[in-house]
Amino acid sequence: MTLSRENGVLRRGDNERLSHAINSNSAWYLRPLIALAIETGMRRGELLSIGWKDVDMTAPTIRILKTKNGHPCTIPLTPKAVEILSSLDAKLAKATVG
């Protein structure tokens, strides 16, 4: 699968191709991570460095302490990003209770 990339922006159709590529059962854990990256524009290292303590669902924002330029920043969350994080939170709660 080849994604077109122009100035770091996905083109029309790239999102669908990416979703199709990660739709297999073997990559279930990547779906929310990639969807969150698309929604927020966060880099891989930023996504991997955040924890629930960095997420403010009431604001709604994510606070990133370690960034590429070394300066902390706050990322606003789209409604879709909030939905993704809420779904993860519910899945994790269900997994720890069950």
Side-chain angles (χ1 to χ4, degrees):
M1 177 191 73
T2 304
L3 295 179
S4 23
R5 189 169 169 155
E6 208 171 276
N7 296 327
V9 177
L10 294 176
R11 289 195 216 160
R12 183 181 314 231
D14 286 349
N15 192 14
E16 291 78 21
R17 284 191 293 279
L18 185 57
S19 293
H20 179 71
I22 62 167
N23 216 10
S24 71
N25 288 335
S26 62
W28 65 268
Y29 57 92
L30 291 177
R31 282 184 222 131
L33 188 65
I34 292 172
L36 196 57
I38 291 169
E39 283 299 310
T40 62
M42 293 170 61
R43 295 178 174 100
R44 178 183 53 213
E46 293 169 343
L47 283 166
L48 296 175
S49 73
I50 61 172
W52 287 112
K53 68 184 179 338
D54 304 312
V55 178
D56 182 348
M57 295 296 258
T58 58
T61 58
I62 295 178
R63 181 83 174 142
I64 308 220
L65 300 176
K66 290 184 176 183
T67 61
K68 187 175 179 179
N69 67 10
H71 301 290
C73 68
T74 301
I75 306 288
L77 297 174
T78 64
K80 178 68 176 173
V82 170
E83 182 183 321
I84 294 164
L85 289 169
S86 295
S87 133
L88 281 175
D89 192 28
K91 286 178 185 174
L92 291 174
K94 188 176 181 181
T96 57
V97 172

